[in-house]
Amino acid sequence: MIELPKDVRQQAVSSIERYFREHMDEPIGNIAAAGLLGFFLEEVGPSIYNQAVADVQERLQARVSEVDLEVHEDEFGYWRKRLGAEPQRKR
């Protein structure tokens, strides 16, 4: 189960209570709101967590695939640096 810090859990419970006051026919008490939060954290939390991990993996893989473009070094560049270009051969 996903564990929330105490202050975050309290903010979530307060938010659930407010949602019920503003959108439902009857309010919900603090204990019931905490129970509902616990249910959603246990039941739906892992799905949200797994999707977040998949999203991060996708973004990281995209960044890793760009590393070659960002750090690529041309090979065998000594003579190009020294001469400014490939030397012309005499004919």
Side-chain angles (χ1 to χ4, degrees):
M1 184 165 123
I2 296 174
E3 294 294 326
L4 298 176
K6 188 176 181 178
D7 62 322
V8 173
R9 179 177 280 280
Q10 185 52 50
Q11 286 179 328
V13 168
S14 295
S15 181
I16 291 169
E17 290 174 308
R18 181 177 179 183
Y19 180 86
F20 269 75
R21 271 193 317 274
E22 294 183 12
H23 297 285
M24 306 303 272
D25 292 335
E26 13 182 308
I28 189 171
N30 188 274
I31 294 173
L36 186 60
L37 175 61
F39 167 76
F40 279 117
L41 287 175
E42 188 171 343
E43 186 69 11
V44 181
S47 297
I48 296 167
Y49 176 84
N50 291 339
Q51 184 60 53
V53 169
D55 291 348
V56 168
Q57 285 177 324
E58 185 178 323
R59 292 187 73 174
L60 286 174
Q61 286 173 348
R63 291 290 297 147
V64 166
S65 70
E66 295 172 1
V67 167
D68 183 49
L69 298 174
E70 291 180 21
V71 299
H72 179 80
E73 290 289 331
D74 290 333
E75 299 172 352
F76 303 104
Y78 177 85
W79 294 113
R80 282 190 299 273
K81 289 178 187 174
R82 295 284 184 261
L83 303 174
E86 288 291 321
Q88 297 291 325
R89 291 186 187 177
K90 293 185 181 180
R91 294 183 189 207

